[in-house]
């Protein structure tokens, strides 16, 4: 009896201590207590995952990505100490745990469960920004993620019947979650509207899990090469003209996701390892960039003493050989050359150089001219140092993660990367950069769909509800007995829809569906 009731921790999904810590942190009113619970959950998750025999569920690259997720959570907890963002901390911990569980999952059902958990947690992070724009962006984020979840569920149902169209639904769902055009706008609006602490967590999890899922399920899909290259080139253009640093970084995120999707489309073992190396590196350096930008924004644009060195390191981490952002892009580029697509490698190199110039160098030059009266806090400094060291470790020792990584340090990619970065630095360090005049919200028309479109589509249910309300009252007036019953039911349904019950219904349905899937897929 006792043995039957014993809980086998090995049967729980990886990252479960973080899921529990996030739920408990959300119940704590004291931010310091929430953070301490988060630290305990973080250490427990790492211990159970890698020190007690749990690591065999991961190969080396997946294990490195899971560790990167934990590093982001640790940096977020440290950064939050200076900004008292309890909701972002709690939801961020849940998202971290769900991301680790998604990495370990090898079934579509498990993938759906954990990506929806990430989506709900991420939507809460966005809404915790507190502004009307954050609430609308968070709602639009959630609605699109729920749509992707429904498509994924349809794909699962069709796959069980052996239907060939199942793959199309799954692919479409994952492309939405990976912020692929033409539905990439949710990322632009959500990440930029979140709080500085929230942006740290948002930049790491949802899109990277979607990319890894695409790499597992659709390697070698030729259309993804073209989609990824278009995505990388399209999204890098606004970075030349956007003056809001965090919004600029969101465009850079979309651009780098495009590079990953192009590598998935190539589908060779070399390219797929490059995709995963880039995903790991991007988790680290994008979080570091959002941390520096958030620290600056939280002080009204006045640079605190001690922040500039980390801004320089964040810029270099984007593409300097030996740091986090270089390795994966170089491996993908060499894989494209080996496949006879050298022109695509040139596109990736140019895009990477532009991101280095616009997301790293230009803000360092132009946004640190007004010194503040204070210094960065010790916890902000510790979070930035943690991510910097992680980037250095990946860039220096990442070759041990994949047999294909060594090609990144051959002479040709090193020389090409060096020339590209030098040209980018020349443009940004001279008056030539003024050719690209910056303004807030540049190329906003490209950030589709807008939150108002998504929410407007849902508001249409309200108008439908008014029509159903009138129809129900008419049925109730002119029909007797059973007709009144039908009419009252129609009125109730219509009012439920018209007052916004659809959103609540979606959330409750998703919750129940998640529980059913957990039971069904184990």
């Amino acid at each position: 009896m006792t043995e039957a009731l014993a809980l086998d921790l090995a049967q729980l999904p990886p990252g479960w201590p973080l899921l529990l810590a996030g739920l408990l942190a959300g119940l704590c009113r004291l931010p310091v207590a929430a953070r301490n619970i988060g630290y305990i959950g973080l250490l427990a998750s790492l211990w159970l995952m890698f020190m007690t025999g749990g690591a065999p569920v991961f190969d080396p690259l997946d294990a490195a990505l899971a560790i990167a997720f934990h590093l982001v959570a640790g940096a977020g907890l440290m950064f939050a100490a200076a900004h008292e963002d309890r909701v972002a901390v709690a939801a961020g911990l849940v998202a971290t745990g769900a991301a680790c569980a998604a990495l370990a999952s090898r079934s579509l059902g498990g993938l759906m469960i954990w990506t929806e958990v990430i989506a709900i947690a991420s939507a809460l992070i966005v809404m915790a920004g507190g502004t009307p724009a954050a609430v609308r962006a968070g709602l639009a984020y959630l609605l699109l993620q729920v749509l992707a979840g429904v498509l994924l569920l349809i794909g699962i149902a069709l796959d069980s019947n052996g239907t060939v169209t199942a793959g199309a639904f799954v692919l479409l769902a994952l492309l939405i979650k990976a912020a692929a055009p033409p539905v990439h706008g949710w990322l632009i609006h959500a990440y930029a509207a979140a709080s500085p602490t929230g942006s740290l967590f948002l930049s790491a999890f949802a899109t990277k899990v979607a990319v890894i899922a695409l790499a597992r399920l659709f390697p070698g899909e030729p259309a993804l090469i073209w989609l990824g290259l278009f995505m990388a080139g399209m999204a890098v253009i606004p970075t030349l003209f956007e003056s809001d640093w965090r919004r600029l970084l969101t465009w850079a995120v979309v651009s780098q996701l495009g590079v990953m999707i192009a590598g998935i489309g190539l589908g060779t073992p070399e390219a797929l390892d490059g995709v995963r190396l880039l995903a790991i590196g991007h988790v680290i350096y994008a979080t570091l960039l959002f941390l520096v930008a958030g620290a600056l924004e939280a002080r009204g644009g006045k640079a605190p003493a001690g922040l500039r060195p980390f801004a320089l390191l964040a810029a270099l981490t984007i593409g300097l050989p030996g740091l986090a952002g270089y390795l994966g892009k170089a491996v993908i580029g060499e894989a494209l050359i080996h496949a006879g697509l050298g022109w695509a490698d040139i596109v990736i190199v140019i895009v990477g150089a532009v991101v280095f110039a616009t997301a790293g160098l230009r803000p360092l030059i132009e946004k640190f001219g007004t010194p503040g009266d204070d210094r960065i806090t010790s916890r902000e400094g510790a979070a930035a140092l943690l991510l910097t060291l992680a980037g250095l470790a990946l860039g220096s020792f990442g070759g041990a993660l994949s047999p294909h990584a060594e090609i990144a340090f051959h002479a040709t990619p090193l020389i090409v990367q060096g020339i590209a970065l030098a040209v980018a630095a020349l443009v940004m360090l001279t008056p030539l950069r003024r050719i690209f005049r910056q303004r807030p919200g540049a190329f906003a028309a490209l950030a589709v769909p807008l939150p108002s479109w998504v929410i407007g589509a849902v508001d249409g249910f309200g108008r439908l509800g008014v029509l159903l309300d009138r129809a129900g009252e008419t049925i109730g007036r002119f029909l007797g007995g059973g007709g009144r019953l039908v009419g009252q039911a129609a009125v109730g349904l219509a009012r439920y829809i018209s007052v916004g019950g659809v959103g609540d219904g979606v959330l409750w349905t998703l919750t129940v569906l998640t529980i059913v899937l957990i039971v069904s897929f184990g």
Side-chain angles (χ1 to χ4, degrees):
M1 179 72 173
T2 304
E3 293 180 358
L5 294 175
L7 178 62
D8 185 1
L9 298 181
Q11 299 301 315
L12 295 176
W16 70 264
L18 287 167
L19 293 166
L20 179 60
L23 294 175
L24 293 176
L27 298 175
C28 292
R29 293 185 176 274
L30 293 176
V32 64
R35 290 195 304 275
N36 287 336
I37 291 172
Y39 286 126
I40 294 171
L42 189 65
L43 294 174
S45 178
L46 284 171
W47 176 266
L48 292 173
M49 200 177 297
F50 297 105
M51 304 300 290
T52 60
V57 298
F58 297 121
D59 66 18
L61 285 168
D62 284 347
L65 184 55
I67 291 173
F69 286 160
H70 284 76
L71 291 174
V72 168
L77 289 171
M78 295 178 196
F79 186 81
H83 302 278
E84 302 296 342
D85 198 341
R86 183 172 60 89
V87 175
V89 165
L93 290 169
V94 171
T96 308
C100 292
L103 278 182
S105 176
R106 291 297 186 270
S107 69
L108 283 176
L111 178 66
M112 178 186 170
I113 293 169
W114 298 118
T115 54
E116 294 310 300
V117 172
I118 295 171
I120 294 171
S122 298
L124 291 174
I125 293 173
V126 177
M127 293 181 193
T131 64
V135 174
R136 292 180 67 83
L139 180 57
Y141 180 111
L142 180 61
L143 291 170
L144 281 172
Q145 295 298 316
V146 168
L147 171 62
V150 170
L151 293 174
L152 192 55
L153 181 60
I154 294 173
I156 293 171
L158 293 177
D159 185 61
S160 64
N161 295 324
T163 308
V164 294
T165 55
F169 283 99
V170 175
L171 177 61
L172 183 58
L174 293 178
L175 288 175
I176 292 174
K177 289 181 177 293
V183 285
H184 56 284
W186 63 262
L187 186 152
I188 305 298
H189 300 291
Y191 287 21
S195 67
T197 303
S199 294
L200 265 69
F201 288 106
L202 289 171
S203 64
F205 306 122
T207 52
K208 305 308 180 297
V209 169
V211 163
I212 297 301
L214 281 170
R216 290 175 181 173
L217 297 173
F218 299 100
E221 186 66 40
L224 294 182
I225 299 177
W226 298 99
L227 176 63
L229 292 175
F230 170 77
M231 186 175 173
M234 178 275 298
V236 84
I237 294 173
T239 68
L240 293 165
F241 303 95
E242 178 60 60
S243 62
D244 184 295
W245 195 2
R246 282 209 295 155
R247 188 176 177 86
L248 185 158
L249 289 176
T250 63
W251 283 111
V253 168
V254 174
S255 178
Q256 295 305 289
L257 290 170
V259 175
M260 298 178 211
I261 290 175
I264 294 169
L266 185 56
T268 63
E270 185 180 13
L272 294 176
D273 277 10
V275 168
R276 295 201 285 171
L277 285 167
L278 181 54
I280 298 165
H282 193 263
V283 165
I284 295 170
Y285 79 74
T287 304
L288 180 57
L289 285 165
F290 273 107
L291 186 153
V292 174
L296 189 67
E297 181 181 312
R299 292 168 172 84
K302 295 183 177 180
L307 187 62
R308 186 188 293 269
F310 289 114
L312 175 60
L313 289 169
L316 295 177
T317 304
I318 295 174
L320 190 70
L323 294 176
Y326 167 73
L327 187 59
K329 282 180 281 192
V331 174
I332 294 173
E334 288 298 293
L336 289 168
I337 292 174
H338 295 162
L341 298 172
W343 62 270
D345 176 48
I346 294 173
V347 172
I348 288 176
V349 170
I350 293 173
V351 165
V354 173
V355 169
F356 167 72
T358 57
L361 283 185
R362 188 166 188 172
L364 178 64
I365 296 167
E366 297 182 349
K367 296 187 179 298
F368 284 80
T370 306
D373 299 326
D374 62 342
R375 299 183 60 84
I376 60 171
T377 66
S378 59
R379 290 183 176 87
E380 287 175 326
L385 182 60
L386 175 66
L387 294 170
T388 301
L389 293 176
L392 179 61
L394 176 64
S396 301
F397 306 108
L401 298 174
S402 166
H404 303 291
E406 65 177 24
I407 64 173
F409 297 98
H410 291 177
T412 301
L414 287 171
I415 292 172
V416 170
Q417 184 73 358
I419 293 172
L421 296 184
V423 171
L426 177 64
V427 173
M428 287 298 117
L429 294 173
T430 63
L432 288 173
R433 70 177 183 274
R434 293 172 187 164
I435 297 173
F436 307 103
R437 296 182 179 275
Q438 293 186 312
R439 60 183 177 84
F443 285 83
L446 290 180
V448 293
L450 301 176
S452 58
W453 297 2
V454 181
I455 296 172
V458 176
D459 287 343
F461 283 105
R463 291 187 287 273
L464 174 62
V466 172
L467 295 177
L468 289 175
D469 193 348
R470 294 172 181 170
E473 289 177 347
T474 302
I475 293 173
R477 270 198 314 270
F478 290 100
L479 299 179
R484 286 196 189 91
L485 183 60
V486 173
Q488 290 169 359
V491 169
L493 174 62
R495 289 174 180 169
Y496 176 70
I497 294 174
S498 62
V499 300
V502 166
D504 293 337
V506 167
L507 290 176
W508 279 109
T509 302
L510 186 60
T511 301
V512 173
L513 180 61
T514 299
I515 295 171
V516 171
L517 286 172
I518 290 175
V519 173
S520 301
F521 292 96

